[in-house]
Structures are given as structure tokens and as C-alpha cells.
Amino acid sequence: MQKKTFPPGEYKKDPGKFITLEGIDGAGKSTHLCGLEKILGERGKTVIVTREPGGTSVGEALRELLLDSSRAMHAETEALLMFAARREHLDKIILPALARGDWVISDRFTDASFAYQGGGRGLATQKLDKLEQWVQGEFQPDLTLYFDVAVEVGRQRISAIKSADRFEKEQNEFFRRVREAYLQRAQRFPHRIKVIDSNQPLDEVKKSLEKIILSICL
Ligand code: TYD
């Protein structure tokens, strides 16, 4: 491979990339997020790790509202709040980091709204398309890792770790629709969304993840 040289004063940092992690609850995103951060860090990248809903002060306040199982809300209210948190997240964290040349890994982004509010709650995709266009225009992640797991496996994993939030209290049928919506999006955007079979043992998932990252991003 040819080595890049820059005349003094003209050094340009390689541009950072925006990577998002998706999956139904219990798919193992959080575990693999740490692995991914490590792989990138070892290769000298400055990595910002963040999450949705959340990542900013306003976003984290909205997250608390959204996940609170004692607060029922209309599906459209839920979608609007997700996108409101996202607007803030783009403005305060994601876009400034990318402008500095940093890498950004976000635990969930807009695909989650299409999967949960679209697939899970049954909101019309056209409405979500409009919100997406309003909040982010044509901006999309460079890469989305979708950790695919059978609904029963995901449910078992979450019930073992913590008490359920408002989404995790939903029935298996809800998660089947969420998973189906994710898989449909992965089929629709095969260049951006890579499906990782998360039913495999942890080490195998890790290997698949590394292979994808090294081939696509580095
Ligand atoms: P999650 O990312 O799973 O965090 P934790 O690992 O702490 O449980 O929780 C966020 C929840 O928010 C998850 O159940 C999915 C939901 N969600 C949506 O419904 N729509 C969205 O657009 C986003 C970003 C998340």
C-alpha cells in the first residue's frame, strides 16, 4: 500500500466515521460497543461513545421520560421525543465530533425509530421519513452494525441483568415486529447496515464484528 505523505503544514487528519449499533433489547450491543471502542482506540482513533435516546443533557432528560415505565404516552409523542433528542444529539455531540475528525459510535440512532416506533408501535413509515428528513436531512451513519438475535434469546438476556424499562416491558410480539423491521431495513440498505448473527457464542460475534470493522473502516 502506498504511504500517504503530507507537505509540512498540510497534514489533514483522516476524517472520522459515524458508526451506529442497533438490535432488539438484549441483543448484546453494549458488550460489543466496548470491543469496538477498543479496536478503534488501538488504531489511534479518537472515539466518542454516545447513545440514543440521550447523549446530551436535554437528551438524557428525554430518555428518562421515554423509558419510565410509569408514563404511558401516545406512539406519536414517543416518536417526536425520540427525534427531538436526536436533533439535540446531532447538534451538540455527533456533528461537532465528526467535524473535528473524531470517530463517533452511537448506541442506537434513527434505525431504532423505524424499528421500534414504526415496526413495534405501527406508526406509518411516511411519518417517520418526514421526521428523519426534518432532523437530519440526508445525513446517515457511515456504518450500522445490527446485532440480530432471536426474540426469546434477547428477552432472557435482559431479564437476567436488570429491571425492565417501558420498552422492555413489551410482549414478545412487539419485539418480533421490531426485529422484522430491522431486518427489512438491513435488506433495503445493505451497504450501510451489516447484520451480525448475535445468537452465536460471544467470541464468534466478536470475530464477525472485527472482520467487518477492519474491512470497511480501517
Ligand atoms: P437501550 O439502548 O436498549 O438501553 P439499555 O441497554 O440501557 O436498555 O434502551 C433504549 C430504548 O429506547 C430501547 O428499548 C429502544 C428504545 N428506542 C426507541 O424506541 N426508538 C428510538 O429511536 C431509540 C433511539 C430508542
Side-chain angles (χ1 to χ4, degrees):
M1 201 175 80
Q2 214 186 346
K3 203 173 160 212
K4 265 195 222 159
T5 51
F6 296 93
E10 281 191 28
Y11 173 78
K12 292 242 172 21
K13 196 174 166 185
D14 284 339
K17 290 193 193 296
F18 179 38
I19 303 177
T20 60
L21 273 57
E22 299 283 355
I24 61 167
D25 293 83
K29 286 175 297 104
S30 314
T31 310
H32 297 298
L33 195 149
C34 296
L36 179 58
E37 187 184 7
K38 192 161 166 262
I39 297 175
L40 295 174
E42 282 168 359
R43 281 162 182 79
K45 313 292 181 197
T46 306
V47 184
I48 308 294
V49 174
T50 184
R51 68 174 180 181
E52 288 207 354
T56 64
S57 156
V58 169
E60 289 294 327
L62 290 173
R63 180 186 178 93
E64 238 181 271
L65 261 176
L66 280 158
L67 267 55
D68 181 351
S69 51
S70 69
R71 286 179 209 267
M73 63 178 84
H74 191 285
E76 290 187 355
T77 309
E78 188 178 282
L80 288 162
L81 291 178
M82 291 291 179
F83 276 96
R86 185 160 300 131
R87 184 68 194 88
E88 200 63 16
H89 197 202
L90 281 162
D91 183 54
K92 302 279 185 311
I93 306 288
I94 301 173
L95 297 178
L98 293 173
R100 291 192 301 270
D102 296 347
W103 287 56
V104 179
I105 309 175
S106 184
D107 187 345
R108 300 193 186 281
F109 191 61
T110 308
D111 293 304
S113 300
F114 283 95
Y116 281 77
Q117 283 65 56
R121 304 275 190 234
L123 281 189
T125 306
Q126 292 91 314
K127 287 190 174 170
L128 297 170
D129 283 338
K130 279 189 188 148
L131 290 176
E132 179 185 40
Q133 187 59 37
W134 185 14
V135 164
Q136 65 196 76
E138 301 307 315
F139 178 80
Q140 289 294 336
D142 294 294
L143 171 68
T144 297
L145 299 165
Y146 166 59
F147 294 91
D148 185 55
V149 79
V151 169
E152 289 72 17
V153 175
R155 313 264 28 219
Q156 256 173 12
R157 288 185 190 158
I158 44 173
S159 59
I161 358 175
K162 58 183 185 93
S163 61
D165 63 36
R166 198 167 61 82
F167 291 96
E168 291 161 351
K169 284 205 154 81
E170 290 293 338
Q171 301 298 311
N172 283 4
E173 208 35 59
F174 173 86
F175 288 101
R176 270 190 257 288
R177 292 194 299 274
V178 172
R179 184 184 182 200
E180 193 47 42
Y182 269 130
L183 287 168
Q184 277 176 15
R185 279 184 79 74
Q187 257 186 3
R188 191 171 155 206
F189 304 109
H191 293 294
R192 174 172 67 83
I193 305 180
K194 302 295 168 198
V195 180
I196 298 181
D197 179 3
S198 234
N199 300 291
Q200 314 172 83
L202 208 65
D203 266 359
E204 293 302 314
V205 181
K206 231 171 120 182
K207 276 188 211 151
S208 314
L209 170 70
E210 269 180 31
K211 217 164 118 189
I212 293 175
I213 289 298
L214 297 180
S215 67
I216 295 185
C217 290
L218 299 169

